């Protein structure tokens, strides 16, 4: 095994002491989350109601009546990805997730670049969602509550401050808020599902959307791309491993639960949304008025009161997504600070709340500055290209992680006695191929993914690959000038 990836699968390395540690023992985050709380925390990041309102119509517009099969395919790909991902979590007990796993398989240089790419991706998504929150919150106040109109950015700034307060405290507090938001979102969508299932659409309860011929009739690649992006966030389960009960069992179970729950949820609601309009008219409805497709159907099948509820819950859905994003980025900062790849104060853990409070405050501050920077822009346009661009780095990292799993277990063969070839070779290889195809689709359809101009798309690609390159260079500088820091990259264990 090379020096770059000399992990012993079942033996953590010694704890690193120094700034941010206490008595030579690495600081650890604290929490008592179980499987359901971890799953709800990452599910909230996906903002399922916001995805139903904003993304599913795009999938239907691309794939036509066969849109549910796009989510079937996406679910299968991500379940297969989860096999290697969760197996890796048993041998690299580190809350760095992508950062730690890519370092373990592909080396510290690529791992360092991956960590910065992860921060960039989640940061773009979080800022974009914060801008979107401003518009939907103002619309809710004016249209549903009859209140006065206010600048959208005032709501966005309020959101960032409130989210920052939650991020300062123990993760259990955020988990409870996120779980409540998730339950409310799921309940209202289940009401819609039940109403359509009982009444049927213009063509009854047609199963045509599940016919392969329906799927092939549309732009399959684009539909699959949008479907995969609605799942982004489930992979963050490993980020919370220090704050769970029995992470060896909790993280894999929460990951599978998150993927399967999202998969079934999206498949069913997409099918019933197509049924609500009829297979012959769903595509036209999705292309004519994408933002209003779901709420209009909700009004027809459930009632006008339900449309008002949707407008409120979209606000809470986006809030939950930003809160989850804040928690994820803060923990990446904590991991990088612990490894000294970033300033060590980021690794400090609050003595009472057990949270990465310094890292969380920094994230909140950057969010505030970012929102202020966009006050003169159209928030809807900025939201589209920020969230689309933010999803691309996550796809890159998922691909690299699957590749890293293959390399890691190849180098560790003979030392791994409790994982099968399915877990260490076959599933990771299948995931690498499938995610490679998704990454190709994302790159070739990046203008469509970001919803902006070609110039904007090119600029965003330059930013993404520029950050990745900066991570590579930073790691090489550490290797040359600060070998002690280089040795820590991605290696901080849980003791």
């Amino acid at each position: 095994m090379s020096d770059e990836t000399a992990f012993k699968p079942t033996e953590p390395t010694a704890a690193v002491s120094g700034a941010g540690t206490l008595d030579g023992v690495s600081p650890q985050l604290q929490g008592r989350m179980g499987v359901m709380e971890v799953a709800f925390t990452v599910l909230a990041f996906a903002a399922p109601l916001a995805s139903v309102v904003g993304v599913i119509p795009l999938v239907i517009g691309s794939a036509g009546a066969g849109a549910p099969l796009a989510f079937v395919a996406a679910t299968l790909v991500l379940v297969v990805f989860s096999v290697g991902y969760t197996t890796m979590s048993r041998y690299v007990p580190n809350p760095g997730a992508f950062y730690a796993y890519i370092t373990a398989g592909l080396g510290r240089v690529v791992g360092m670049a991956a960590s910065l790419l992860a921060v960039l991706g989640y940061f773009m998504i979080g800022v974009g969602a914060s801008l979107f929150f401003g518009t939907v919150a103002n619309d809710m106040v004016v249209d549903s509550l009859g209140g006065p109109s206010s600048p959208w950015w005032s709501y966005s700034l309020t959101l960032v401050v409130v989210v920052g307060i939650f991020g300062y405290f123990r993760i259990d507090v955020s988990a409870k808020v996120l779980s409540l938001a998730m339950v409310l979102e799921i309940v209202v969508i289940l009401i819609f599902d039940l109403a359509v299932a009982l009444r049927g659409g213009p063509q009854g309860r047609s199963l045509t959307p599940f016919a392969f011929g329906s799927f092939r009739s549309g732009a399959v690649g684009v539909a699959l791309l949008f479907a995969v992006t609605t799942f982004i966030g489930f992979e963050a389960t490993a980020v919370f491993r220090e704050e769970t009960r029995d992470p060896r069992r909790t993280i894999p179970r929460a990951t599978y639960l998150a993927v399967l729950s999202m998969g079934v949820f999206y498949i069913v609601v997409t099918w019933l949304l197509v049924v609500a309009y009829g297979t012959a008219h769903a595509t036209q409805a999705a292309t004519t008025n994408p933002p209003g497709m779901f709420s209009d159907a909700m009004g027809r099948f459930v009632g006008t009161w339900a449309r008002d509820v949707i407008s409120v819950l979209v606000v809470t859905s986006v809030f939950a997504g930003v809160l989850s994003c804040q928690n994820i980025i803060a923990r990446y900062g904590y991991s990088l600070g612990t490894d000294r790849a970033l300033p060590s104060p980021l690794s400090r853990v609050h003595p009472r709340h057990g949270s990465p409070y310094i890292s969380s405050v920094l994230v909140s501050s950057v969010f505030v500055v970012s929102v202020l920077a966009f006050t003169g822009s159209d928030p809807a346009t900025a939201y589209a290209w920020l969230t689309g661009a933010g999803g691309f780095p996550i796809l890159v990292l998922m691909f690299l992680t699957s590749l890293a799993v293959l390399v890691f277990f190849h180098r560790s063969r003979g030392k791994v006695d409790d994982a099968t070839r399915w877990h260490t070779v076959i599933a990771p290889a299948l995931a690498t191929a499938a995610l490679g195809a998704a990454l190709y689709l994302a790159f070739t359809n990046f203008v469509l993914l970001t919803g902006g101009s070609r110039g904007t798309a090119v600029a965003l690609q330059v930013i993404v690959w520029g950050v990745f390159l900066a991570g590579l260079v930073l790691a090489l500088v550490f290797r040359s000038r600060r070998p002690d820091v280089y040795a820590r990259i991605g290696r901080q264990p849980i003791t």
Side-chain angles (χ1 to χ4, degrees):
M1 195 179 300
S2 69
D3 177 66
E4 277 288 301
T5 53
F7 279 95
K8 294 182 178 180
T10 58
E11 298 178 14
T13 55
V16 178
S17 62
T21 65
L22 180 64
D23 298 330
V25 178
S26 302
Q28 291 191 25
L29 304 176
Q30 298 175 25
R32 298 178 294 273
M33 293 195 295
V35 173
M36 296 300 295
E37 289 174 308
V38 175
F40 275 133
T41 298
V42 299
L43 284 170
F45 178 81
L49 181 57
S51 293
V52 169
V53 173
V55 181
I56 286 182
L58 300 179
V59 178
I60 295 174
S62 300
L69 286 179
F71 286 101
V72 171
T75 303
L76 291 175
V77 169
L78 296 179
V79 166
V80 172
F81 168 81
S82 298
V83 173
Y85 185 72
T86 56
T87 303
M88 192 76 158
S89 71
R90 303 207 307 263
Y91 298 93
V92 185
N94 184 312
F98 287 149
Y99 165 47
Y101 300 169
I102 292 172
T103 300
L106 303 181
R108 299 181 183 91
V109 174
V110 180
M112 185 72 239
S115 69
L116 298 187
L117 203 58
V119 171
L120 174 69
Y122 290 121
F123 171 74
M124 283 181 164
I125 294 171
V127 172
S130 298
L131 304 182
F132 182 59
F133 179 89
T135 60
V136 296
N138 185 60
D139 290 345
M140 178 194 70
V141 170
V142 174
D143 299 334
S144 300
L145 304 180
S149 179
S150 301
W152 64 265
W153 49 263
S154 64
Y155 291 103
S156 297
L157 288 175
T158 301
L159 165 72
V160 171
V161 171
V162 173
V163 164
I165 293 171
F166 276 107
Y168 189 85
F169 294 103
R170 185 187 292 268
I171 187 64
D172 307 67
V173 177
S174 294
K176 289 179 172 60
V177 173
L178 294 170
S179 297
L180 176 60
M182 274 294 303
V183 169
L184 293 174
E185 292 178 46
I186 291 172
V187 166
V188 73
I189 294 175
L190 288 178
I191 291 173
F192 168 79
D193 290 346
L194 184 60
V196 177
L198 290 175
R199 290 175 54 185
Q203 296 169 287
R205 304 172 190 84
S206 174
L207 294 178
T208 301
F210 293 104
F212 186 65
S214 299
F215 187 42
R216 290 189 302 173
S217 65
V220 176
V222 176
L224 281 171
L225 175 58
F226 280 123
V228 168
T229 59
T230 61
F231 286 80
I232 286 176
F234 83 91
E235 73 287 345
T237 50
V239 174
F240 300 105
R241 65 168 294 121
E242 284 190 6
E243 297 157 281
T244 64
R245 299 187 297 268
D246 191 7
R248 186 178 176 88
R249 291 186 174 88
T250 298
I251 298 305
R253 291 175 182 176
T255 303
Y256 285 119
L257 178 61
V259 173
L260 292 173
S261 297
M262 279 193 281
V264 172
F265 175 85
Y266 288 134
I267 291 167
V268 172
V269 72
T270 304
W271 168 54
L272 291 172
L273 188 56
V274 171
V275 166
Y277 284 90
T279 56
H281 304 288
T283 304
Q284 181 180 356
T287 54
T288 302
N289 182 26
M293 185 181 187
F294 180 75
S295 58
D296 288 347
M298 177 69 84
R300 292 203 321 270
F301 281 86
V302 181
T304 54
W305 66 268
R307 294 186 62 175
D308 293 334
V309 170
I310 288 293
S311 67
V312 174
L313 289 182
V314 166
V315 172
T316 62
S317 178
V318 179
F319 166 77
V322 175
L323 176 57
S324 184
C325 192
Q326 160 95 13
N327 286 327
I328 293 169
I329 299 173
R331 280 147 187 82
Y332 267 99
Y334 161 80
S335 291
L336 288 165
T338 300
D339 293 346
R340 308 300 181 266
L342 290 181
S344 60
L346 293 176
S347 68
R348 292 178 184 169
V349 175
H350 196 283
R352 178 180 178 185
H353 304 302
S355 62
Y357 69 110
I358 298 295
S359 181
S360 184
V361 168
L362 177 62
V363 172
S364 298
S365 301
V366 175
F367 270 24
V368 168
V369 172
S370 300
V371 170
L372 291 174
F374 280 99
T375 53
S377 305
D378 176 15
T381 301
Y383 162 72
W385 58 259
L386 275 172
T387 52
F392 182 78
I394 307 304
L395 280 176
V396 173
L397 294 173
M398 291 172 68
F399 170 77
L400 290 176
T401 299
S402 289
L403 186 60
V405 172
L406 280 172
V407 175
F408 177 83
F409 284 112
H410 174 73
R411 289 174 171 168
S412 301
R413 61 188 183 278
K415 298 182 180 181
V416 178
D417 55 5
D418 62 343
T420 66
R421 283 182 60 81
W422 164 251
H423 293 85
T424 61
V425 178
I426 299 174
L430 291 173
T432 301
L435 289 168
L439 188 57
Y440 171 79
L441 292 172
F443 183 78
T444 55
N445 292 279
F446 196 69
V447 174
L448 180 60
L449 180 63
T450 56
S453 66
R454 182 170 297 276
T456 300
V458 170
L460 290 170
Q461 280 286 322
V462 169
I463 291 172
V464 169
W465 295 113
V467 167
F468 188 79
L469 178 61
L472 296 177
V473 172
L474 182 61
L476 292 174
V477 170
F478 284 150
R479 186 171 69 180
S480 174
R481 300 183 179 180
R482 299 188 63 186
D484 58 323
V485 173
Y486 181 75
R488 301 174 192 266
I489 293 176
R491 301 286 297 272
Q492 184 63 35
I494 306 301
T495 56

